[in-house]
Amino acid sequence: MIRLFFLNGFTIKRQFIPNSLIILWAVIQVILLFSNGIVTTLEADKYITQANYFLEHGRFSSGNYYLYSTLIFLIATCIKWQLSFWLIVVIQLLVNFFAFLMFYNLAFHFLKSNKLVWIVCAYYICNVFYQLYNSFLFTESLFYSLTIIYTSYLLTLNHLQPKNILVLIIFLILLSVTRPTGILFLPATLLYSYFQFMKRLKIMVRISIAIGALAVFLIILNRLMHAGGSLDFMLPFIRENIICGVNTVSNAHIVVPQNGNSLYGLWLYIYENSSQFLKLAQLKSAAFWGLMRSYYSLPHNIYLVVFFYPVYIFSLIGVVKRYKQRDRRLFFLMSLILLYWLTTVLTCDDWHNRFFLTISPFLFLLGIAGLVTNKPDSGVENNS
């Protein structure tokens, strides 16, 4: 049994992590590691290629790769120093284990029941599609773990002080250069902070901060859309991609704006092609929440339905309960979930549900929260 001491985000009080959960985590990781080994093919190949390109030219072949640079730099380090890629796997496993500890900490704050905390953590560990990437040289492993660490840190803060803001900014930058969708944690953080930490500020000050922060986010987002490379935001609409890379063109006549890789261009496309957009939005939403794929085996699809669909029902119950309890953490969790859904609608869904998997731990928390009868801890949720 591991005893942890948490204080102010990374630590709050002494907690004991049950041995059963630690053993379960280890067993799942060992099974997946021996089943897959180190995966250096598929998407890993482009990151390895970019790492070699960076070592040779001192830059990436396209600006969009800076949004995946955390893993690329790790790969480049291994290549430069002639180290085995096992080092990256070990790093990913260590970060994943720390994320598990932080998820336990977050669940304890959120649920206030040792039994329910054990259940949600066991469910989190047994989400093999989520845990799968720890031996892959993909960006998902580090990104998933960092999202959990960041969320636990933020949602267990009692006060927002300059040092906390600095930590949050560093994490947001790290998330955004690990995967592009890391930027979505910024508006979710701003919304939560507005209602959780700014109540004592004058209303005009709060509004000014909110407007300024939103403007910064939109400027950053618009800039990221110009990163180039594979980040072509009009391509999924031109080719009618429901799943990224899978073309389903129906020869629909659409108006393509000249500068589609911008917020204005995206809005112009939606305005000029509302019928096609709404049709694709419906299909992408079905893919995002439905999870099943035609190229999955029947047992695979059945597993997805059995594992995730009940979570949807209980999550809705959990949201209603926490809304009635005025749990302000809903501002962060729900905005993040909706932003990932909206981003999929505005782009395309992933082959293996990896966009959905990012938010799955938060759906688990909300789902188990539907079973909680006691009120949340006022020391965190109702602090002003």
Side-chain angles (χ1 to χ4, degrees), residues 275-288:
S275 178
Q276 187 218 32
F277 172 76
L278 291 175
K279 182 191 75 172
L280 292 177
Q282 181 181 1
L283 294 172
K284 292 173 186 179
S285 297
F288 181 80

Side-chain angles (χ1 to χ4, degrees), residues 296-331:
Y296 286 164
S297 66
L298 180 61
H300 191 152
N301 280 325
I302 291 175
Y303 181 87
L304 289 170
V305 171
V306 172
F307 191 85
F308 288 106
Y309 280 30
V311 174
Y312 295 161
I313 298 172
F314 287 108
S315 293
L316 292 174
I317 298 173
V319 168
V320 172
K321 283 189 173 183
R322 289 308 172 98
Y323 175 78
K324 291 180 178 179
Q325 296 168 348
R326 298 185 179 181
D327 188 340
R328 287 191 284 272
R329 289 171 297 194
L330 279 180
F331 286 111

Side-chain angles (χ1 to χ4, degrees), residues 92 95-96 99 130 140-150:
Q92 290 181 163
V95 178
N96 180 273
Y130 187 89
E140 274 72 22
S141 176
L142 286 174
F143 184 70
Y144 289 163
S145 298
L146 290 172
T147 62
I148 295 297
I149 295 169
Y150 176 84

Side-chain angles (χ1 to χ4, degrees), residues 33-186:
L33 184 59
F34 276 91
S35 297
N36 301 302
I38 301 180
V39 178
T40 58
T41 56
L42 303 173
E43 286 191 21
D45 181 64
K46 68 180 180 182
Y47 300 132
I48 295 171
T49 300
Q50 286 302 311
N52 283 301
Y53 189 95
F54 183 85
L55 290 173
E56 183 177 351
H57 299 91
R59 57 182 175 83
F60 296 131
S61 62
S62 176
N64 66 302
Y65 285 109
Y66 284 99
L67 305 178
Y68 305 90
S69 58
T70 302
L71 177 64
I72 295 176
F73 285 145
L74 282 175
I75 294 174
T77 300
C78 287
I79 294 173
K80 181 176 179 60
W81 297 100
Q82 298 182 341
L83 301 173
S84 170
F85 286 148
W86 274 103
L87 175 62
I88 296 176
V89 173
V90 170
I91 291 173
Q92 290 181 163
L93 285 169
L94 289 174
V95 178
N96 180 273
F97 182 70
F98 183 63
F100 153 60
L101 299 181
M102 294 294 286
F103 186 75
Y104 186 95
N105 179 43
L106 175 61
F108 185 82
H109 273 79
F110 201 69
L111 302 172
K112 293 300 176 185
S113 165
N114 289 329
K115 183 177 180 180
L116 294 180
V117 169
W118 192 95
I119 292 174
V120 75
C121 287
Y123 215 77
Y124 165 79
I125 294 170
C126 290
N127 184 3
V128 292
F129 305 110
Y130 187 89
Q131 304 291 342
L132 180 68
Y133 296 100
N134 291 327
S135 64
F136 286 50
L137 296 192
F138 288 17
T139 54
E140 274 72 22
S141 176
L142 286 174
F143 184 70
Y144 289 163
S145 298
L146 290 172
T147 62
I148 295 297
I149 295 169
Y150 176 84
T151 301
S152 178
Y153 180 82
L154 174 65
L155 298 188
T156 57
L157 283 175
N158 288 312
H159 304 283
L160 196 59
Q161 300 174 345
K163 62 180 181 180
N164 305 129
I165 295 175
L166 179 61
V167 171
L168 292 173
I169 291 174
I170 292 173
F171 261 97
L172 285 170
I173 294 173
L174 185 58
L175 283 169
S176 298
V177 297
T178 302
R179 284 196 64 80
T181 51
I183 191 64
L184 299 179
F185 282 76
L186 176 56

